Amino acid sequence: MTTALETIKTINPAAYPKHVGIIMDGNGRWAKQQGKARTFGHKAGVESVRAAIRFAIQHELDVLTLFAFSSENWKRPEQEVSVLMELFMFVLTKEVKRLHKNKVRLKIIGDVSRFNDRLQKKIAESEALTENNDGLLLCVAANYGGRWDIANAVNQYIEKTGNTKLTEDDITANISLAEFTPLDLIIRTGGETRISNFLLWHAAYAEFYFTDELWPDFREESFAKAVQCFASRQRRFGLTGDQVEES
């Protein structure tokens, strides 16, 4: 049987999404299936992060945005939050040199001021090390929420201009990732069919792909299935199907 990885080789790369966002869901449920603590699932999910980055590099995506920790995740059990913070620190420390070697530029989006000083310093060091790389842009959304992002964009605009009447373009210019390729595709693992406050402004014309696969099981073949599905869709942006075909 032909795999999705083989199939997408027959698709014109121009039909690939250039900016993909992933909601990495299902770590806790995966761990429960293994008879382990929820934190075991978060650690297992790191290999899926590596697989997604490998796929994005190999298929020349412009931007990969991973939803690592939402502003709502602080409500989780204290032990789990603590492990997530330490895991974030560990991954930044261990993986950033590998990212740099592969010319990946790392950018963290979200309100990092709530993190401890040690983690904030590591974030700044990691971004500084990779800031001149010209390969994949890897964005990690940490203490991030789409509503926060919109409110922050409005506040930034008002602070810069003094104006209190904004247009859509004003918000777009001040939102996270404003300077990068627009969002094409959101993938959510874990069987849920919602976007949980992820990239709300950016998602206006993004395509959505939901899979029952839990995040620790997500690999390159999984990513290829999402790309294959994306490439089969007609993106109209308000036009009719006939207009798109004519153009």
Side-chain angles (χ1 to χ4, degrees), residues 148-161:
W148 166 86
D149 201 357
I150 295 168
N152 189 58
V154 171
N155 289 332
Q156 283 191 5
Y157 175 80
I158 292 173
E159 289 174 6
K160 286 189 289 188
T161 68

Side-chain angles (χ1 to χ4, degrees), residues 23-44:
I23 302 172
M24 306 179 291
D25 193 22
N27 290 329
R29 281 170 286 158
W30 184 90
K32 188 175 181 180
Q33 290 176 2
Q34 314 299 314
K36 305 282 188 177
R38 287 178 55 84
T39 52
F40 183 79
H42 294 304
K43 294 174 182 177

Side-chain angles (χ1 to χ4, degrees), residues 78-224:
E78 185 177 346
Q79 181 185 9
E80 182 174 348
V81 171
S82 178
V83 169
L84 285 168
M85 293 300 102
E86 287 303 315
L87 185 59
F88 191 19
M89 185 74 179
F90 170 79
V91 170
L92 283 174
T93 302
K94 184 175 180 181
E95 300 293 331
V96 70
K97 290 182 180 179
R98 183 182 302 177
L99 295 176
H100 186 46
K101 182 179 179 180
N102 286 282
K103 300 182 179 180
V104 175
R105 177 181 174 187
L106 178 66
K107 183 174 179 63
I108 309 300
I109 61 171
D111 183 8
V112 300
S113 65
R114 189 165 178 181
F115 297 140
N116 63 42
D117 291 344
R118 187 169 66 105
L119 184 51
Q120 287 187 51
K121 181 180 179 182
K122 179 56 67 175
I123 288 171
E125 290 173 351
S126 300
E127 289 183 327
L129 176 65
T130 64
E131 65 181 347
N132 294 318
N133 291 342
D134 58 3
L136 173 73
L137 173 65
L138 174 63
C139 298
V140 177
N143 194 26
Y144 175 88
R147 292 175 177 174
W148 166 86
D149 201 357
I150 295 168
N152 189 58
V154 171
N155 289 332
Q156 283 191 5
Y157 175 80
I158 292 173
E159 289 174 6
K160 286 189 289 188
T161 68
N163 297 330
T164 55
K165 186 175 182 179
L166 290 79
T167 66
E168 290 184 17
D169 288 343
D170 294 328
I171 296 176
T172 298
N174 288 276
I175 205 84
S176 295
L177 308 180
E179 67 270 41
F180 304 115
T181 305
L183 182 66
D184 291 317
L185 173 66
I186 291 179
I187 299 170
R188 181 171 186 148
T189 62
E192 304 291 355
T193 52
R194 57 180 179 270
I195 60 173
S196 299
N197 201 18
F198 178 55
L199 297 179
L200 296 181
W201 189 263
H202 313 71
Y205 274 102
E207 299 293 322
F208 294 84
Y209 179 85
F210 300 105
T211 174
D212 290 335
E213 196 167 31
L214 303 177
W215 178 247
D217 295 324
F218 191 90
R219 293 293 188 271
E220 287 94 334
E221 175 70 7
S222 313
F223 208 148

Side-chain angles (χ1 to χ4, degrees), residues 22-66:
I22 304 181
I23 302 172
M24 306 179 291
D25 193 22
N27 290 329
R29 281 170 286 158
W30 184 90
K32 188 175 181 180
Q33 290 176 2
Q34 314 299 314
K36 305 282 188 177
R38 287 178 55 84
T39 52
F40 183 79
H42 294 304
K43 294 174 182 177
V46 172
E47 186 51 45
S48 295
V49 170
R50 295 187 183 114
I53 294 170
R54 284 195 301 267
F55 181 93
I57 293 172
Q58 290 167 2
H59 294 86
E60 299 183 347
L61 273 61
D62 291 342
V63 186
L64 177 65
T65 302
L66 303 178

